[in-house]
Amino acid sequence: MLGIYARRIAVAASAAALAATTGLLTAPAAQAAMPTPIAASTARTYLSQLTVSAEGSSSGYSRDKFPHWITQSGTCNTREVVLKRDGTGVVQDASCAATSGSWYSEYDGATWTAASDVDIDHMVPLAEAWRSGASSWTNAQRQAYANDLTRPQLIAVTDNVNQSKGDKDPAKWMPPRAAYHCTYARAWVHVKHYYNLSVDSAEKTALQTALKDC
């Protein structure tokens, strides 16, 4: 499985690099939300396929080993692309910084009108990914993971709620807004399955509970 994943992400990273050098890399079309995660039934199947093992060590981990936010198009980096995508009426200046708009945080149901009140959360946190298998990846693979706009991995949410999440998995933290638990679990499993990351037993139980209510 790891070999299949490594080839998959290597191809994606190479394609992105080629596009960047030829001026063809463009920001994804606006969709006003993160990519839709897999259905609950698929998530339950995928969860049963994930390797269950004790969480690995954080030794050697650094956010610098997951380079972000990279340039996506022109002067726009990944954070700015997600702010535009997830917001309503977002206006950006010449450097792509959001100067106005509104953002609804799915995690807690709050709406913000200043980009500074919004964080871009990695659905499966970088440190969690490191402890679940990403420690063996190359920096290029970790960069692709940290800037993934195709999977439901990046979402604009209230900054202090994102900070309360930190690098916790669903056994230790779920969004305060219970109505989002199903979508959150579907997205978490979607990302872990795509990247062939492991889950620990408590994490798997928490995800099974959340998916049971979908």
Side-chain angles (χ1 to χ4, degrees):
M1 285 296 292
L2 183 57
I4 293 173
Y5 160 68
R7 288 194 297 273
R8 178 193 292 161
I9 196 168
V11 168
S14 296
L18 176 61
T21 58
T22 56
L24 297 176
L25 188 60
T26 57
Q31 58 189 70
M34 76 173 184
T36 303
I38 52 176
S41 57
T42 304
R44 286 190 284 268
T45 298
Y46 281 6
L47 181 57
S48 71
Q49 296 170 352
L50 294 178
T51 298
V52 179
S53 63
E55 197 165 82
S57 170
S58 292
S59 177
Y61 168 73
S62 166
R63 288 180 67 85
D64 292 340
K65 293 183 178 179
F66 292 80
H68 65 290
W69 305 109
I70 63 170
T71 299
Q72 293 290 339
S73 177
T75 59
C76 300
N77 66 26
T78 307
R79 171 182 163 81
E80 293 154 346
V81 168
V82 177
L83 282 173
K84 176 74 170 178
R85 182 198 72 187
D86 289 5
T88 300
V90 178
V91 176
Q92 296 171 308
D93 63 19
S95 64
C96 209
T99 57
S100 63
S102 66
W103 291 269
Y104 174 76
S105 170
E106 292 283 5
Y107 286 4
D108 60 336
T111 297
W112 303 95
T113 55
S116 59
D117 289 322
V118 178
D119 277 356
I120 307 304
D121 180 41
H122 287 92
M123 179 62 63
V124 177
L126 306 182
E128 166 68 20
W130 177 271
R131 297 189 296 265
S132 304
S135 60
S136 66
W137 300 351
T138 65
N139 270 23
Q141 290 169 342
R142 288 190 287 264
Q143 175 176 294
Y145 176 86
N147 296 275
D148 188 351
L149 293 165
T150 303
R151 264 61 55 183
Q153 165 67 341
L154 299 172
I155 184 172
V157 297
T158 301
D159 56 0
N160 64 327
V161 173
N162 180 50
Q163 289 153 22
S164 74
K165 171 182 173 178
D167 63 355
K168 303 180 185 76
D169 69 34
K172 302 181 181 75
W173 189 93
M174 288 289 279
R177 181 170 161 255
Y180 198 65
H181 287 187
C182 174
T183 302
Y184 188 84
R186 287 161 49 209
W188 185 282
V189 173
H190 188 153
V191 172
K192 282 231 163 173
H193 185 271
Y194 182 84
Y195 287 100
N196 195 32
L197 295 170
S198 63
V199 291
D200 62 48
S201 57
E203 175 188 354
K204 182 174 182 177
T205 297
L207 289 165
Q208 288 171 326
T209 297
L211 292 170
K212 192 180 302 180
D213 296 330
C214 289

